Amino acid sequence: MVLIKPVDTGFFPFEYLNEEIHKLSASDGPVFLMILFGFILFPFVYRLGYKLRYKRKTFEYILFGIGIFLFLFEIFKQITYAKMYHYLPGQENFGHYYWKILPLQLCSMHIYLAPLIPFIKNNKIKQDITLFIGLYAFIGGIAVLVGGLDLVLGGFQLSDGRWFGDWGLVVHTIVWHVILMNLGALVFGYYRIGDLKPHHIKTIVIRPWLICFVMLLVVQVLNVIIPKLLNYNEWVEGFNLWNVGWTYGFQLPILSKVFVTEPIWIGGVISTFIYGFALLLGAYLVLFVIIFIRNLSSKLNKVVVYTKDTTY
């Protein structure tokens, strides 16, 4: 894909010369390299978390710093979107907030929670929130990096018909989810998830999942109330927190089929609980995989050590 800088539509704008292609994909060079770097970082960040196990304050302030960075990074994204929307057809768009970019998605919750970790006094609550951050940051990050980038790297159309994008938003999308994935690695390492036995998983999954499920119910209420309060105007069109909104429909596979069940509210309730259960299964799956990889790594290390010992 050939890209050139068009008009001052963003901070780092580019134009899609191919009118048939209005988005980047994971196969484009810069995108692929950023994703690859994120996956290479994962074992090193896990190891860092492992070494911080008895340095609680350091670990907590690292989470604090990551949360503050993500918060500032989100402000950059919001400003960039506002700048770009000014150039969409009809410049009367300028001055209105596009509610569909409200940072209350599953992948955005960590900017509010991570900075609070050093200041939570109750250790049990602190652990539950930290595990929520790690589990669902990882799930959200890897889900987008592996299978969801094409949904978030789309372009914008100017009033003259040209399509454009902004490298700031491209980098933001990828770096954001790389950080989330490795935020999971940091938490997994700190709690030494890989050293757990599979039957211990239940004790550390349920409470973080309950936090997640309560948040899901809250955003579903917001998905109904906010469009209604704004009279379903054009500024709120597409508003869909966690991609499971009742007003504009579920955007997830399978659930989008269940949602259309008549009456709609029944389909919405069923889909919400299915999604909540899927988030629970996702947490179990992630921890089982971490434990499996850790055990496999330990066995391979033992083989290497044994081989070296017999050499001498």
Side-chain angles (χ1 to χ4, degrees), residues 181-194:
M181 182 179 68
N182 284 284
L183 183 55
L186 184 69
V187 172
F188 298 155
Y190 179 77
Y191 286 107
R192 303 194 169 180
I193 299 298

Side-chain angles (χ1 to χ4, degrees), residues 128-144:
D128 292 339
I129 294 177
T130 303
L131 285 169
F132 164 80
I133 291 172
L135 278 169
Y136 293 101
F138 177 80
I139 289 174
I142 201 166
V144 170

Side-chain angles (χ1 to χ4, degrees), residues 128-200:
D128 292 339
I129 294 177
T130 303
L131 285 169
F132 164 80
I133 291 172
L135 278 169
Y136 293 101
F138 177 80
I139 289 174
I142 201 166
V144 170
L145 293 175
V146 172
L149 272 180
D150 287 345
L151 298 176
V152 293
L153 294 182
F156 296 80
Q157 190 172 24
L158 293 169
S159 55
D160 60 8
R162 288 183 298 163
W163 285 84
F164 73 95
D166 188 274
W167 278 117
L169 290 181
V170 172
V171 172
H172 175 279
T173 297
I174 299 169
V175 171
W176 185 278
H177 292 92
V178 163
I179 290 175
L180 292 190
M181 182 179 68
N182 284 284
L183 183 55
L186 184 69
V187 172
F188 298 155
Y190 179 77
Y191 286 107
R192 303 194 169 180
I193 299 298
D195 295 345
L196 297 177
K197 300 298 180 184
H199 62 272
H200 291 149

Side-chain angles (χ1 to χ4, degrees), residues 74-88:
E74 179 62 27
I75 292 175
F76 164 77
K77 170 190 168 183
Q78 295 288 325
I79 294 173
T80 302
Y81 262 104
K83 186 175 173 64
M84 293 174 75
Y85 277 128
H86 178 53
Y87 289 90
L88 297 183

Side-chain angles (χ1 to χ4, degrees), residues 38 59 68 82 99 116 159 171 186 207 227 266 284 286 292 302:
F59 170 73
I68 295 299
W99 287 84
L116 299 178
S159 55
V171 172
L186 184 69
R207 291 167 69 98
I266 292 181
Y284 272 106
V286 166
F292 172 77
K302 288 179 182 178

Side-chain angles (χ1 to χ4, degrees), residues 11-138:
F11 292 108
F12 309 99
F14 62 85
E15 181 179 0
Y16 293 94
L17 291 185
N18 186 342
E19 295 182 359
E20 301 297 322
I21 302 176
H22 303 144
K23 63 176 64 178
L24 291 169
S25 71
S27 62
D28 290 293
V31 177
F32 175 77
L33 290 176
M34 283 188 283
I35 296 173
L36 179 63
F37 178 72
F39 279 96
I40 292 174
L41 273 180
F42 189 89
F44 297 99
V45 177
Y46 180 92
R47 187 64 181 169
L48 172 63
Y50 200 89
K51 291 181 177 180
L52 291 174
R53 184 67 182 101
Y54 300 107
K55 299 177 181 179
R56 181 174 58 86
K57 285 295 183 183
T58 302
F59 170 73
E60 291 178 0
Y61 282 111
I62 288 175
L63 288 185
F64 174 84
I66 292 173
I68 295 299
F69 172 79
L70 290 176
F71 185 83
L72 296 175
F73 208 19
E74 179 62 27
I75 292 175
F76 164 77
K77 170 190 168 183
Q78 295 288 325
I79 294 173
T80 302
Y81 262 104
K83 186 175 173 64
M84 293 174 75
Y85 277 128
H86 178 53
Y87 289 90
L88 297 183
Q91 292 195 10
E92 68 278 2
N93 294 341
F94 188 73
H96 291 276
Y97 183 71
Y98 277 73
W99 287 84
K100 67 180 181 180
I101 61 169
L102 183 70
L104 283 177
Q105 301 292 350
L106 178 60
C107 293
S108 305
M109 306 310 293
H110 313 89
I111 66 177
Y112 311 110
L113 295 176
L116 299 178
I117 293 299
F119 309 105
I120 299 174
K121 301 302 182 182
N122 186 297
N123 288 330
K124 185 60 179 176
I125 294 175
K126 179 182 293 189
Q127 176 179 301
D128 292 339
I129 294 177
T130 303
L131 285 169
F132 164 80
I133 291 172
L135 278 169
Y136 293 101
F138 177 80

